Amino acid sequence: MSAGQLIDGKSMAQDVKRELVQRIDRLESETGVRPGLAVILVGNDPASETYVRGKVQDCRDVGIRSELIRLPESTTEEELLGEIDRLNEDPLFHGILVQLPLPRHISAERVIHRIRPEKDVDGFHPINVGKLVIGQESFVPCTPYGIMEMLRRTGISVAGKHAVVVGRSNIVGKPISLLLQQADATVTMCHSRTKDLPSHTQRAEILVVAVGKPHVIGPEHVRPNAVVIDVGINRTPEGKLTGDVDFEAVRPIASYITPVPGGVGPMTRAMLLVNTVRAAERAAGNVRG
């Protein structure tokens, strides 16, 4: 059996960014509006620092105006909410992103709720989540959005397929299950309390794994010729990044598979840019898809 074909998220993300450069230039020439993204970082978590630097660089690459707002660990919840209120009123910024996790004394829920839905480019506000549930136009969380875009760009048809999602988080598991259903897949959701996990995953023509545990999915879980989407990013004791899927063992079975790193991650970042540009287009009354 030949090895599964790699779904190269890094290359796809570069394609998305090239397309966005033209879209941004067109928006600015037609309306005078250049998309703007404000990124708020509270404290100095090393992983968050890395993510935020990458997001700011992505904005620079495509021509989105970005501002990184650094706040100390001691920032109170009310001070952070006040900063969000200021950005909600600032027409130069069409998207607001607060890097999670936040310090323990700040409620992430209150912060997410405070961002105006039309500037919620992470897609976490309850209004955007509710619109997603009922199939209305909304900002979709970036990782599920990236997964659907990867499937589309790879030419993988979802309609009529049996998809199995392992993981039920609000950020990935639940929204990707909704998007797959809306694309006419039949979806099974599995989670930590699912009994006999292989009996479910072996039926998947499309398998999406997002649980945050290294190599929780092995060859015994995978149907021959399945499409395997690995959302997990885990660090081994040796410091190596690895996914939720045992890549080397599963690749010979799959028809397509995403690597870690270089799979879902780059497309997640790219879709944040797409959401920001869409927010600017909406604000300018120049809406595109």
Side-chain angles (χ1 to χ4, degrees):
M1 185 180 292
S2 60
Q5 187 172 327
L6 279 185
I7 303 178
D8 185 349
K10 193 172 180 182
S11 173
M12 281 186 191
Q14 290 301 321
D15 291 342
V16 172
K17 288 165 81 171
R18 278 192 290 271
E19 293 161 13
L20 284 177
V21 169
Q22 298 177 357
R23 192 163 154 185
I24 290 166
D25 288 346
R26 187 166 61 240
L27 177 67
E28 188 170 35
S29 68
E30 291 176 1
T31 68
V33 172
R34 180 159 287 267
L37 175 67
V39 182
I40 302 176
L41 177 63
V42 184
N44 51 9
D45 176 74
S48 293
E49 287 271 2
T50 301
Y51 292 141
V52 162
R53 276 199 305 271
K55 290 168 183 175
V56 170
Q57 183 59 51
D58 288 341
C59 288
R60 194 175 292 127
D61 290 344
V62 299
I64 291 174
R65 176 191 296 109
S66 67
E67 181 177 335
L68 173 56
I69 299 162
R70 293 177 177 273
L71 300 174
E73 185 90 14
S74 59
T75 300
T76 67
E77 187 174 284
E78 289 306 316
E79 287 170 338
L80 177 54
L81 294 175
E83 187 65 26
I84 292 170
D85 290 342
R86 180 185 73 80
L87 293 167
N88 277 333
E89 298 298 331
D90 190 336
L92 288 179
F93 294 106
H94 307 96
I96 302 171
L97 184 149
V98 179
Q99 183 65 42
L100 302 177
L102 289 165
R104 290 185 178 180
H105 64 277
I106 298 176
S107 164
E109 184 176 328
R110 283 196 71 196
V111 168
I112 289 166
H113 288 204
R114 195 66 159 251
I115 299 169
R116 283 187 183 162
E118 63 269 24
K119 294 194 175 190
D120 167 41
V121 289
D122 258 336
F124 295 161
H125 192 285
I127 287 178
N128 283 323
V129 174
K131 285 183 173 180
L132 174 61
V133 170
I134 61 176
Q136 288 187 358
E137 183 73 17
S138 68
F139 287 119
V140 176
C142 300
T143 298
Y145 193 5
I147 292 169
M148 295 304 292
E149 188 67 10
M150 292 173 89
L151 294 172
R152 186 184 73 80
R153 287 175 182 259
T154 306
I156 295 168
S157 174
V158 174
K161 298 283 179 63
H162 184 190
V164 175
V165 177
V166 185
R168 54 180 169 180
S169 73
N170 292 333
I171 294 173
V172 182
K174 291 176 185 174
I176 190 61
S177 72
L178 290 166
L179 291 170
L180 288 164
Q181 287 176 64
Q182 289 167 13
D184 297 323
T186 299
V187 180
T188 298
M189 285 198 73
C190 300
H191 45 77
S192 59
R193 297 295 182 91
T194 299
K195 295 180 179 178
D196 191 12
L197 183 61
S199 71
H200 299 282
T201 58
Q202 284 171 359
R203 297 166 56 213
E205 295 167 274
I206 299 172
L207 178 61
V208 180
V209 190
V211 294
K213 293 183 179 178
H215 297 188
V216 72
I217 296 295
E220 72 277 11
H221 293 88
V222 180
R223 167 180 177 158
N225 294 316
V227 176
V228 180
I229 307 293
D230 188 353
V231 183
I233 301 178
N234 312 285
R235 198 169 288 278
T236 67
E238 298 76 35
K240 182 183 176 185
L241 289 179
T242 190
D244 291 351
V245 175
D246 185 345
F247 179 84
E248 295 300 336
V250 167
R251 186 179 184 185
I253 302 168
S255 59
Y256 291 90
I257 189 168
T258 60
V260 176
V264 174
M267 282 298 284
T268 295
R269 283 169 50 178
M271 302 326 283
L272 171 66
L273 305 177
V274 172
N275 277 348
T276 301
V277 172
R278 285 181 59 219
E281 289 170 346
R282 288 180 182 179
N286 193 5
V287 179
R288 292 187 171 86

